[in-house]
Amino acid sequence: MKVKKSLAVLLAASTALGMLAGCGTTDEQTNTPDASKSAGGDQDTIVIGTIQDLSGSASEAGNANAWGVEYAVRLINEQGGINGRQLELVTMDCKGDVQEGINCYRLLVDEHNVAAIVGPPLSNPALAWVDLSEEDQVPIVGHFMDERCTTNEETGEPYPYMFLAEPGCAQQSYCIAAYGLEELGCETFATFYNAGLSYAVMHAEPFAEYVTAQGGTVVAEETFQAGDVDYRAQAVKIANANPDAVFVCNYAADNALCYDYLREAGYEGIILGNNTFQSPFNTLVKSDVYDCYFLMNYDMENPDDPSYPIIQKYMEETGTKYPIANACFGYDATMVLAEGFKAVDDPYDGEAVAAALAQVKDAPGAAHSITINPETHRTIGMPMLIAEYDEDFHIKVITSYTLSEEWDA
């Protein structure tokens, strides 16, 4: 079992009360009566943490993600646990805030002595954990799609304790760009995104890179900042440039606004979207939705898709009226982490667990097996779906895209 740095322990002791006000656990947030009583686990248990946005701007996705983690833990324990040991889960709320995320991380590591953490589908908080995870030797598996969360930009080397359980921003952007070029016959493109959101930036830039490399042209790039409420002027500029397709790559609320502003500005061309064009986008958008193609990780409304039973269970247990992919995201990340635990003698040996995670092959995901590329700590060979909305505003999957090795990084 690894021993934490004394400085970190002193820090936790001096600041615990303040941090608990922002992200403390409750009985409802853990699958044990009192997780602090078994902090660090024992011979029968392994304590893991998850940090999600449960009450901030991305709380709908965060709560679904948290449910997916809990559900996976439940199934793993029902099936005998990890090498005979049950998982204990401590869930914390980062409220979508970077500092709150750091506070939650410190409590999980210093107070609960977790063996590993399942992170959120939020890149901004995860970026703050890169150095911390290495200092404390705490593996983190999540859905923070910004490649800067998993790979050092300067050296190209993966961060030893950070792992992504779905295709990264670039991988996904390459897929939708390829679809626009190869299947829709687009030649000119624009991008429209939140420049203050790392998730959006790390979609838009690779999209433009792929388009240019494949002979297309980016004729407009319009951005806005978090907190902006009106981007009509940017939409007008894009409409005036009249590209064949516009790539919109934000969170759902901003995607709906961008879509509405573009149509309001008179743009009638193709709109390409990232994987947050799924629900609740269709509950937020006000314009008619047409010629809109977007990415999906799971065919959640298809009874033949392996993810369908998980989504149905999520909706049944939470009362949610529409499918949310994040329930599967939390499930997938936990299943990848479980594979790392299974491969080591001591789940609290963070260095050994991280080394095992880098070699994970064919982990049982919600819809696809998951293999981690040891050179990037991101998935490899994992397909993305291309979808649209039908006339009844139901999602219709059109095709599946798997990148060539050249671009699947």
Side-chain angles (χ1 to χ4, degrees), residues 94-260:
C94 69
K95 304 178 182 179
D97 180 78
V98 172
Q99 185 56 52
E100 288 286 354
I102 293 173
N103 294 345
C104 291
Y105 169 91
R106 286 261 61 96
L107 278 172
L108 287 175
V109 173
D110 300 328
E111 295 296 301
H112 293 283
N113 194 29
V114 296
I117 295 172
V118 177
L122 299 171
S123 296
N124 286 2
L127 284 167
W129 303 332
V130 168
D131 291 336
L132 296 174
S133 65
E134 187 166 359
E135 290 172 5
D136 298 315
Q137 296 185 338
V138 174
I140 302 177
V141 183
H143 285 268
F144 26 77
M145 290 167 53
D146 184 339
E147 285 82 1
R148 293 174 298 179
C149 295
T150 46
T151 306
N152 187 312
E153 284 188 293
E154 296 180 1
T155 66
E157 295 295 317
Y159 292 118
Y161 294 90
M162 301 290 290
F163 298 87
L164 175 64
E166 68 169 305
C169 292
Q171 293 167 301
Q172 297 197 21
S173 294
Y174 295 157
C175 284
I176 196 68
Y179 184 75
L181 286 160
E182 298 167 11
E183 302 299 326
L184 300 178
C186 300
E187 297 179 356
T188 59
F189 299 81
T191 55
F192 195 9
Y193 62 98
N194 183 346
L197 178 65
S198 64
Y199 169 85
V201 173
M202 298 305 286
H203 270 86
E205 292 178 353
F207 178 89
E209 174 194 5
Y210 188 94
V211 164
T212 303
Q214 301 301 317
T217 304
V218 178
V219 297
E221 177 188 13
E222 292 296 328
T223 65
F224 53 92
Q225 293 291 331
D228 290 351
V229 295
D230 190 338
Y231 358 117
R232 288 181 175 87
Q234 295 95 317
V236 168
K237 290 180 182 178
I238 291 174
N240 289 338
N242 196 30
D244 295 330
V246 182
F247 182 47
V248 179
C249 51
N250 311 287
Y251 291 155
D254 281 339
N255 284 342
L257 281 174
C258 287
Y259 185 95
D260 285 336

Side-chain angles (χ1 to χ4, degrees), residues 282 301 389-395:
N282 57 339
E301 298 185 50
Y389 285 104
D390 65 18
E391 61 275 8
D392 297 320
F393 231 153
H394 294 144
I395 291 174

Side-chain angles (χ1 to χ4, degrees), residues 113 294 308:
N113 194 29
F294 53 93
Y308 185 81

